[in-house]
Amino acid sequence: MTLQEKPFRLCWTAENARTVFRTEALEGNDAVFLATHSPIIGFDIDGPDQGEIYERTEQAILDTLSDTNRKHAFCVVQGEPGSGKSHLIRWLSVNWPHASDLKLLLRRSDGSLEGALNQLKEKLGPEYSDLFQNLGVRQRARTEGRANIFIATLATTLKFDHYASQIGDEAWCGQYRPDLFFQHARIRENWPAPLRIVKLLEGSGGERNSASASFDLYDIADLNYDTVRHVKVELTHPGAKDLARRLEREIERMGPFRESNWLASELAAEKSDEFPTSMLLLDALNRRRNDSIQSVLGISADGLKALFRRVREALQQRGMRLVLLLEDITSWEGLDDSLIDALVFNASASGDEDTEDVCPLISVVGVTPKYYDDLQANYRQRITHEIILGRSEGGTQDVATLRDTEERTAFVARYLSAVRAGPDQLNAWRNDLRHRPNIAPPNPCTACPKQQECSSVFGAIDGVGLFPFTEHAISRFFGALKVDDRGQTWRTPRGILQAVLNPVLEQVDRISEDAFPDASIERTAFEEHRKAASAPTGRLSDIISAQVSEEDQFRFRLLVTYWGEPDRSDTVMAGTVPSFAGLSKPLVEAFALPWIGGAPTSSQPLNLAPQPLLAATATTVRQVDPT
């Protein structure tokens, strides 16, 4: 079957796919964002003012927070990394209705505090640039040098009499002298934890992904058994020597847990009694993390508070509200308590006369469940509205917007349509949208000569063809994604984009060469037992081995695993189309694989047949700020 004879047309380019997926969430342009936007639904609402949000829709959140009578809000959007926090916050920004508010969307940028402050300075404009003077000066050292400054400062702050007022662990620090332990040259030269944290605070090359820049038990393990043993011999203070001896034993006990893929957080939660000294040291380090980081960042907590106050004073004189939309609060670690102090401060409720000169502040921040759990109780109590994007049953949260099969399929279809349209068409649509706010995003399927044939094989939703997927394949790929991959789930919008859509849609050349699917569509994000190497088995595996050429066998196994039903080996009639192991004959032949089905043994209900072309329905109209 030639390409011209196939029931589909190669209607996108690999470059279009890469461009669209680079621009997801907060990192891309508004055209791609709006064209691929999936309404945030099914979330839970909490907080003392939760009753103000009249329904569980993003529009209700926007209406509530943007109410012209509102003087204060501290809204937290909680969800796993990749769950849609950024997407919701950006949607609020794009649709914010009041030009009289100073709205600041602080994107992830490079994930660093410095990057976030640069965004804040740029968005406020030159008239406010003087407010940033004397905020602080970044250390000129390179990353490794800044890590050295970090650990040196940590060692100093661990001395029992360092702080003017007590912080709670002075007696322990006085007994075991952790300051002497961390001042030892072997520790300062070989311990990787300070560099890890500094890299995270600098943005981790854009790959931070909400990772926490706090010390954990595996940072203690990384002190290294041999290093601690050498340091123990060379220390002279009896308390510091005893600390090293205790750590030596506990680090050795951590090894088997780490090799068994226990997370540091799991170890701390479930086995803390086995590592008492490490837990106390961990607490001491994290108590001093912020003070030590500020010496590296060159920005003080008081300086950050003063900056926000000066900004709010300037806006109050102009009669404006400050709307601060912060995609990832972990970018501010090292100063996060100070930032939260600024965000939760409700001037209208304070009752102090000297607070009347600051403007109202409406803030929306994204946090992970872990960050939320670590948030101090007094800050949690001051959250006005909480949007919870998923639910947990003892592990990672799910994602509310992906619970329903139809919603997952619609999510994928929006990206398929955007990839086919490409950035030029999408940008042209975005420009038209400024003048005609109700027009739907471009759908190239409507002008495709193979639309009907393609959709009869692969299915369609709202006039958008699902090729090279099917609705069943989308569910199979989603089900293969890991639920808990070292504390994070891949069953998120970002997980679908990174581990399913991008790998498949980059295979344009392989499809044209009759070499699709191939091994590149299976990623480490997939559960091993769901991969083609594990399924199909039994009779179906024997049939494939006997009837498919050796060079095509793995492709056939991939097709059965993700497009079919690897636990079946029968042939049935799905409507008028024969189907073997859940694969329709036209679909198998479309990918240039042999039809190996036998005589049909039964008929399936029609709703299991390949989805017919659905009539294009009216696209939900988004209220888009035409500016």
Side-chain angles (χ1 to χ4, degrees):
M1 184 184 294
T2 66
L3 189 59
Q4 289 73 22
E5 296 170 327
K6 290 183 181 293
F8 58 78
R9 185 169 65 89
L10 291 175
C11 47
W12 75 94
T13 66
E15 181 55 33
N16 274 5
R18 286 189 287 269
T19 300
V20 167
F21 296 130
R22 275 198 303 266
T23 60
E24 57 97 9
L26 290 188
E27 305 306 324
N29 64 34
D30 283 347
V32 173
F33 174 80
L34 292 171
T36 58
H37 172 66
S38 293
I40 306 295
I41 60 172
F43 52 82
D44 292 324
I45 308 171
D46 205 345
D49 297 335
Q50 60 179 290
E52 295 179 342
I53 302 177
Y54 55 85
E55 63 182 12
R56 295 181 183 183
T57 64
E58 56 196 12
Q59 187 63 49
I61 298 172
L62 177 64
D63 292 344
T64 299
L65 297 180
S66 64
D67 186 335
T68 55
N69 295 318
R70 182 166 300 282
K71 302 297 183 184
H72 171 75
F74 177 42
C75 177
V76 165
V77 181
Q78 183 195 145
E80 297 286 352
S83 61
K85 301 185 300 294
S86 303
H87 204 87
L88 174 58
I89 290 171
R90 185 174 181 183
W91 185 90
L92 293 173
S93 176
V94 169
N95 292 279
W96 196 265
H98 308 303
S100 58
D101 294 330
L102 180 61
K103 178 198 68 184
L104 299 176
L105 172 65
L106 297 187
R107 302 185 177 188
R108 178 175 281 113
S109 186
D110 63 350
S112 67
L113 172 62
E114 183 180 37
L117 288 174
N118 284 338
Q119 289 180 53
L120 180 62
K121 183 177 181 179
E122 177 183 345
K123 291 177 183 297
L124 284 171
E127 58 187 308
Y128 296 102
S129 60
D130 62 306
L131 301 181
F132 290 80
Q133 292 181 4
N134 303 318
L135 181 60
V137 179
R138 172 188 170 128
Q139 293 284 351
R140 297 177 62 187
R142 63 193 181 101
T143 299
E144 289 76 10
R146 300 174 89 192
N148 291 334
I149 296 170
F150 180 29
I151 189 173
T153 309
L154 265 178
T156 299
T157 59
L158 282 166
K159 192 174 181 183
F160 64 92
D161 59 356
H162 175 78
Y163 288 99
S165 57
Q166 293 197 349
I167 64 172
D169 59 4
E170 284 78 10
W172 187 84
C173 289
Q175 179 179 353
Y176 291 103
R177 296 303 301 271
D179 57 307
L180 298 177
F181 178 82
F182 283 102
Q183 285 170 0
H184 194 283
R186 281 184 180 269
I187 299 295
R188 293 179 60 174
E189 291 172 4
N190 298 315
W191 191 34
L195 181 60
R196 177 186 74 84
I197 288 178
V198 168
K199 284 184 175 180
L200 281 173
L201 291 170
E202 290 182 344
S204 198
E207 300 296 328
R208 179 171 179 171
N209 200 27
S210 303
S212 175
S214 298
F215 292 103
D216 61 36
L217 270 179
Y218 288 152
D219 289 320
I220 304 299
D222 285 340
L223 286 166
N224 188 274
Y225 175 86
D226 290 333
T227 299
V228 173
R229 181 165 53 85
H230 284 294
V231 170
K232 177 188 67 176
V233 173
E234 297 174 6
L235 287 169
T236 58
H237 188 280
K241 187 181 287 289
D242 190 19
L243 173 65
R245 183 182 301 109
R246 292 166 181 263
L247 290 176
E248 184 182 11
R249 292 196 296 265
E250 293 182 10
I251 288 171
E252 188 173 26
R253 287 202 295 269
M254 287 183 204
F257 290 101
R258 199 172 198 175
E259 292 170 3
S260 299
N261 293 320
W262 280 61
L263 300 177
S265 57
E266 293 173 337
L267 205 58
E270 300 178 32
K271 300 290 183 180
S272 60
D273 57 334
E274 297 188 27
F275 311 105
T277 300
S278 297
M279 293 298 295
L280 288 168
L281 178 58
L282 198 60
D283 179 66
L285 290 170
N286 282 323
R287 284 173 185 255
R288 292 157 176 81
R289 182 203 62 168
N290 283 8
D291 289 341
S292 302
I293 281 297
Q294 287 167 32
S295 69
V296 176
L297 298 176
I299 300 170
S300 71
D302 289 340
L304 185 67
K305 291 179 185 178
L307 168 66
F308 273 93
R309 182 176 184 87
R310 291 197 298 268
V311 169
R312 293 180 69 180
E313 287 173 348
L315 294 178
Q316 176 70 355
Q317 293 175 7
R318 295 169 174 260
M320 302 175 69
R321 295 188 302 186
L322 176 60
V323 178
L324 187 61
L325 306 173
L326 193 62
E327 179 260 348
D328 183 2
I329 202 170
T330 57
S331 296
W332 301 76
E333 278 195 291
L335 294 170
D336 48 8
D337 291 350
S338 302
L339 174 65
I340 296 174
D341 282 336
L343 298 180
V344 302
F345 177 62
N346 183 357
S348 62
S350 67
D352 296 335
E353 292 184 4
D354 63 348
T355 62
E356 295 179 357
D357 57 351
V358 298
C359 74
L361 172 62
I362 299 165
S363 52
V364 184
V365 301
V367 302
T368 62
K370 182 182 183 306
Y371 187 97
Y372 179 85
D373 291 342
D374 293 340
L375 199 60
Q376 295 179 23
N378 61 316
Y379 290 133
R380 286 197 211 176
Q381 293 168 0
R382 298 172 76 176
I383 295 171
T384 58
H385 309 81
E386 185 176 351
I387 310 302
I388 307 169
L389 298 184
R391 297 172 187 161
S392 171
E393 295 183 0
T396 57
Q397 288 185 356
D398 70 349
V399 177
T401 55
L402 296 179
R403 289 178 188 142
D404 183 79
T405 300
E406 291 184 2
E407 291 299 329
R408 290 198 297 267
T409 305
F411 173 85
V412 169
R414 292 183 184 99
Y415 276 93
L416 291 174
S417 187
V419 168
R420 291 169 184 145
D424 291 342
Q425 280 194 56
L426 293 176
N427 287 327
W429 166 74
R430 172 58 174 142
N431 290 332
D432 288 344
L433 200 61
R434 301 176 194 277
H435 310 292
R436 295 186 293 158
N438 294 337
I439 59 173
N443 176 16
C445 288
T446 59
C448 178
K450 296 213 172 185
Q451 181 190 28
Q452 194 73 37
E453 187 180 6
C454 183
S455 296
S456 69
V457 175
F458 295 95
I461 182 169
D462 288 345
V464 177
L466 298 181
F467 168 71
F469 298 95
T470 63
E471 183 173 359
H472 181 70
I474 293 168
S475 292
R476 294 285 303 174
F477 274 106
F478 183 76
L481 293 171
K482 291 178 180 176
V483 176
D484 191 339
D485 184 11
R486 300 188 63 80
Q488 293 190 11
T489 178
W490 282 92
R491 294 189 184 181
T492 64
R494 186 186 301 164
I496 292 175
L497 296 181
Q498 292 181 348
V500 179
L501 284 178
N502 196 29
V504 169
L505 295 183
E506 284 192 339
Q507 301 299 309
V508 180
D509 291 343
R510 305 295 285 169
I511 295 174
S512 68
E513 296 165 359
D514 290 339
F516 178 87
D518 69 9
S520 65
I521 69 170
E522 290 192 309
R523 296 300 168 104
T524 56
F526 291 6
E527 299 281 6
E528 288 299 322
H529 71 277
R530 296 296 298 267
K531 291 184 177 181
S534 302
T537 58
R539 183 169 182 269
L540 177 57
S541 181
D542 293 340
I543 293 173
I544 295 171
S545 297
Q547 299 192 40
V548 180
S549 67
E550 188 172 344
E551 73 174 304
D552 284 338
Q553 282 184 20
F554 188 64
R555 284 208 302 132
F556 203 103
R557 292 176 187 276
L558 285 167
L559 197 66
V560 169
T561 300
Y562 298 105
W563 279 261
E565 298 179 45
D567 56 349
R568 296 181 59 174
S569 58
D570 57 340
T571 302
V572 300
M573 292 300 295
T576 60
V577 177
S579 173
F580 169 72
L583 297 171
S584 73
K585 183 176 181 181
L587 188 145
V588 173
E589 293 175 342
F591 289 129
L593 285 166
W595 172 250
I596 59 175
T601 57
S602 64
S603 295
Q604 286 184 342
L606 285 177
N607 62 1
L608 293 182
Q611 294 293 308
L613 174 64
L614 302 180
T617 59
T619 303
T620 301
V621 174
R622 291 182 286 272
Q623 299 299 315
V624 178
D625 181 355
T627 61

